[in-house]
Amino acid sequence: MESITLDIELLQLPETSPVSMKSNQDFVKKLFDQWLALPETNRLVTSLVNDAKAGVALNVMCGGGSLGSNSGSNSPLASMFPARNGPPLSPRNSTGSPRITRQRTGLSNLNSPLKVVSDHVKELIPQFYFEDGRPPPNDLKEQCIAKINSLFYGHEDGLQIQEFKLVTTEICKVPSFFSTSIFKKVDTNNTGFVKREAFIDYWVKGNMLTKEITNQIYTILKQPDHKYLVQDDFKPVLQELLATHPGLEFLQGTPEFQDRYAETVIYRIYYYINRSGNGHLTLRELKRGNLVDAMQHADEEEDINKVLRYFSYEHFYVIYCKFWELDTDHDFLIDKENLIRYSNHALTYRIVDRIFSQVPRKFTSKTEGKMGYEDFVYFILAEEDKSSEPSLEYWFKCIDLDANGVLTRNELQFFYEEQLHRMECMAQEAVLFEDILCQLFDMVKPEDEGYICLNDLKGSKLSGNVFNILFNLNKFMAFETRDPFLIRQERANPTWTEWDRFAHREYIRLSMEEDVEDASNGSAQAWDDSLEVPFEFL
């Protein structure tokens, strides 16, 4: 009798690959023998053998397919027991996927104890993106509604705006000066009241509850038809900050300077965070910045001057006073001749020309040849903190004369020539450009020795000094002499930025000048207790 050869792949065991089974053929044969010894298998095989001897075509249904002549070689039993009176079955189809074909052929209808691979089951991937925010879990929703009920208890007509701040801090958990903005978002009909049901619709059913705090703040500030924030979107929260923060209380009698403070804060926010420079602050930019942390700090800290990021009143005071010093005719505009006087004529004419050509940034001023207050804020932040990325980008555009994205030897020499001339006029020891060029490349260590690109500057801690060498004589000389006062200041406040140190020094200087002026005039002025600087100076 012709011996039967076992095709290991016909066993269809998903837990074990055919390759590993072929490497353990003794084990597989024992398994096959055990299967043959089962009573059910014995009856099945005997029946099939008898049918084959009698010439009856195999017509047993297996996995939804027939083991007859039309089934091809996909049937394991058909290949094991071919019909003797018919032509040989065709070889396995090579055009399809044999793995999938075998999976569709099962032995379950033959009562085989061997495990059969079933059809693939589609795995359901849970929804992970929700356009309006992820719905809150039931337990979180119930906890939130319970808190809402307690805060709205006894207020059937709803809460008024002065009663709503506790909802802002306890339920929404955002800075308290967002209270008015949230109130107006809920009170769409301007009734002056926010009812419990309306707040639940906005905060809980609107899925604000599950949003991350940056998303919450972005949604609260944003206009409904916008996908970005504009400067005016920040004005309501800053107005509430000015009205409620104890560190800004002294400004309530001077609404003009309240507006200037709010404008300055907004300009600083957009300078650092709106990196595209288009005036449209996106959610991505907001998440990448540190504004939300600064807002929370401002809400918790009573001394607003300790909130160095964006909100410090002392920083605003320095910016505004520096602008006022240059704006001699007080038309709130400055020209080239005004700006050249900045910091005791520290800047070169060539770099001032580049600024007024609006290469680093288009002026918001509508007057030709004049720089407005917002433009000055961008300038002074870039000039006094050249370690920041916005500053590096600002000055890189100024030096990159042909706007090809690299600073060449000729461009560096063009700006240094005026510095060299100024040193000679001041009887300073002049440093030749060839020596300066080597120093610049040693400081930056560019990837390509032929030019400097923006990424090279961003990767160097000394990149700010590169620009000082090229167009700021005062800072260039301070860097060359390693001013011990600046070194002590850096060591005293290692976490401060260059801007923080500059603003601190300038505020002290301005305060001392005001003291001298007040003493000489003999005037009795109302001094602000927290700042010890009279506001009449402005």
Side-chain angles (χ1 to χ4, degrees), residues 44 240 380:
L44 172 64
E240 186 169 1
I380 193 172

Side-chain angles (χ1 to χ4, degrees), residues 93-112:
N93 185 2
S94 62
T95 59
S97 173
R99 180 181 180 88
I100 295 177
T101 303
R102 288 194 299 273
Q103 288 174 347
R104 291 177 180 173
T105 304
L107 297 177
S108 59
N109 288 346
L110 301 179
N111 297 322
S112 170

Side-chain angles (χ1 to χ4, degrees), residues 47-225:
S47 174
L48 292 175
V49 170
N50 292 335
D51 290 343
K53 289 180 179 180
V56 178
L58 296 176
N59 196 30
V60 180
M61 299 298 293
C62 181
S66 174
L67 294 179
S69 59
N70 294 330
S71 66
S73 63
N74 289 342
S75 169
L77 295 177
S79 61
M80 289 174 60
F81 305 106
R84 294 179 180 269
N85 296 333
L89 299 174
S90 63
R92 182 173 292 132
N93 185 2
S94 62
T95 59
S97 173
R99 180 181 180 88
I100 295 177
T101 303
R102 288 194 299 273
Q103 288 174 347
R104 291 177 180 173
T105 304
L107 297 177
S108 59
N109 288 346
L110 301 179
N111 297 322
S112 170
L114 292 180
K115 189 171 183 179
V116 180
V117 179
S118 60
D119 289 343
H120 286 293
V121 179
K122 292 184 179 179
E123 182 180 358
L124 295 178
I125 301 176
Q127 183 178 351
F128 58 88
Y129 173 74
F130 299 87
E131 184 176 0
D132 298 322
R134 181 182 296 275
N138 289 333
D139 55 345
L140 180 62
K141 183 189 299 185
E142 292 173 357
Q143 293 175 9
C144 183
I145 292 178
K147 290 183 180 179
I148 294 173
N149 291 339
S150 64
L151 292 178
F152 278 82
Y153 180 76
H155 300 274
E156 289 76 11
D157 296 331
L159 296 176
Q160 292 181 307
I161 194 166
Q162 64 270 18
E163 303 168 324
F164 192 74
K165 182 166 290 189
L166 198 59
V167 176
T168 302
T169 56
E170 296 294 328
I171 304 296
C172 304
K173 299 186 185 301
V174 297
S176 61
F177 49 89
F178 277 78
S179 181
T180 301
S181 297
I182 299 175
F183 188 93
K184 291 182 178 180
K185 285 279 186 178
V186 182
D187 183 24
T188 55
N189 296 325
N190 297 321
T191 63
F193 291 88
V194 166
K195 292 188 176 182
R196 168 188 171 278
E197 295 76 11
F199 180 73
I200 291 176
D201 288 341
Y202 175 75
W203 194 258
V204 180
K205 296 182 180 179
N207 299 333
M208 289 286 287
L209 176 61
T210 55
K211 289 183 178 180
E212 188 260 339
I213 186 171
T214 306
N215 294 63
Q216 291 174 343
I217 288 177
Y218 175 79
T219 305
I220 294 168
L221 295 176
K222 184 178 66 68
Q223 298 299 316
D225 56 340

Side-chain angles (χ1 to χ4, degrees), residues 247-251 305 313 507 525-536:
L248 296 170
E249 185 178 0
F250 67 96
L251 279 179
N305 293 317
Y313 175 79
Y507 184 77
Q525 299 180 344
W527 295 78
D528 175 70
D529 294 336
S530 62
L531 296 177
E532 297 184 355
V533 178
F535 224 107
E536 283 77 0

Side-chain angles (χ1 to χ4, degrees), residues 238-440:
L238 289 174
Q239 289 172 356
E240 186 169 1
L241 177 70
L242 283 160
T244 59
H245 198 285
L248 296 170
E249 185 178 0
F250 67 96
L251 279 179
Q252 292 181 5
T254 54
E256 177 186 354
F257 292 112
Q258 284 185 324
D259 294 340
R260 293 300 177 205
Y261 169 81
E263 289 175 2
T264 306
V265 171
I266 292 173
Y267 298 154
R268 293 182 67 185
I269 290 171
Y270 273 76
Y271 170 81
Y272 284 106
I273 299 181
N274 181 216
R275 303 303 301 279
S276 62
N278 60 359
H280 294 169
L281 187 61
T282 64
L283 177 60
R284 180 187 294 272
E285 290 174 326
L286 190 63
K287 287 184 175 180
R288 294 177 62 181
N290 57 0
L291 177 59
V292 174
D293 291 337
M295 286 179 167
Q296 292 174 319
H297 186 194
D299 194 41
E300 299 166 357
E301 177 60 60
E302 291 189 0
D303 186 355
I304 197 68
N305 293 317
K306 291 183 179 180
V307 188
L308 300 180
R309 302 284 78 78
Y310 313 113
F311 295 98
S312 169
Y313 175 79
E314 290 182 358
H315 290 190
F316 152 71
Y317 187 84
V318 169
I319 294 172
Y320 190 85
C321 287
K322 298 292 283 187
F323 180 81
W324 195 253
E325 288 176 351
L326 299 178
D327 182 21
T328 53
D329 57 1
H330 303 318
D331 62 349
F332 230 64
L333 295 169
I334 58 178
D335 56 19
K336 286 184 182 180
E337 294 303 319
N338 296 140
L339 190 62
I340 204 68
R341 295 189 296 106
Y342 178 81
S343 189
N344 196 22
H345 296 80
L347 302 176
T348 63
Y349 280 94
R350 290 182 178 180
I351 199 65
V352 171
D353 285 340
R354 290 291 285 173
I355 294 171
F356 274 83
S357 66
Q358 304 182 41
V359 171
R361 180 179 182 271
K362 296 293 182 182
F363 287 171
T364 57
S365 167
K366 304 301 181 183
T367 306
E368 185 177 357
K370 296 292 185 75
M371 171 189 285
Y373 180 64
E374 179 179 352
D375 307 314
F376 179 78
V377 171
Y378 274 70
F379 158 75
I380 193 172
L381 292 175
E383 167 58 24
E384 300 302 340
D385 187 4
K386 294 189 178 76
S387 63
S388 66
E389 287 197 3
S391 174
L392 295 177
E393 293 170 2
Y394 186 97
W395 297 118
F396 186 90
K397 292 176 183 178
C398 288
I399 306 299
D400 186 14
L401 296 174
D402 53 6
N404 65 345
V406 297
L407 305 183
T408 61
R409 171 194 172 99
N410 292 337
E411 290 169 329
L412 299 175
Q413 186 173 11
F414 173 78
F415 286 95
Y416 184 71
E417 282 177 350
E418 189 175 350
Q419 288 280 71
L420 183 61
H421 177 69
R422 298 176 75 191
M423 285 188 285
E424 292 172 348
C425 293
M426 297 173 62
Q428 297 270 357
E429 181 181 357
V431 184
L432 298 178
F433 175 71
E434 286 70 18
D435 297 331
I436 285 295
L437 185 64
C438 293
Q439 184 178 3
L440 294 180

